[in-house]
Amino acid sequence: MSTPLTFDELRDALEELRESSARLGAQASELASRTEDDLGRDVAEIVKDLRAAARQLRVAQLLLEPAGADLAA
């Protein structure tokens, strides 16, 4: 049996998810740019997928911000 989730644990977990999403989104964008520059058009589909992943991670980050603000209030 697990212990009940506390308010602080939830707030901390949300903040960690938000930060992780932001960090991973930035890394995916950077990797897409480097891949496109270094490997050219041969990997266009990979670049497209990386950019899509970066966008999804940024959306996740934005969706988590209001929850974090609500918990901080």
Side-chain angles (χ1 to χ4, degrees):
M1 191 172 196
S2 65
T3 60
L5 181 67
T6 68
F7 179 80
D8 289 337
E9 289 172 327
L10 177 59
R11 185 185 61 232
D12 292 346
L14 268 171
E15 181 60 20
E16 187 176 328
L17 282 170
R18 190 194 65 73
E19 289 173 2
S20 294
S21 293
R23 186 174 51 258
L24 289 170
Q27 287 174 338
S29 290
E30 174 65 20
L31 185 56
S33 293
R34 289 184 58 207
T35 300
E36 193 171 40
D37 292 344
D38 296 344
L39 301 176
R41 295 188 116 349
D42 294 338
V43 292
E45 207 55 38
I46 293 170
V47 170
K48 185 172 134 185
D49 291 345
L50 284 168
R51 292 200 191 283
R55 280 191 302 277
Q56 289 172 347
L57 287 162
R58 283 193 296 274
V59 167
Q61 175 195 3
L62 291 173
L63 291 173
L64 289 169
E65 285 179 2
D70 288 346
L71 288 172

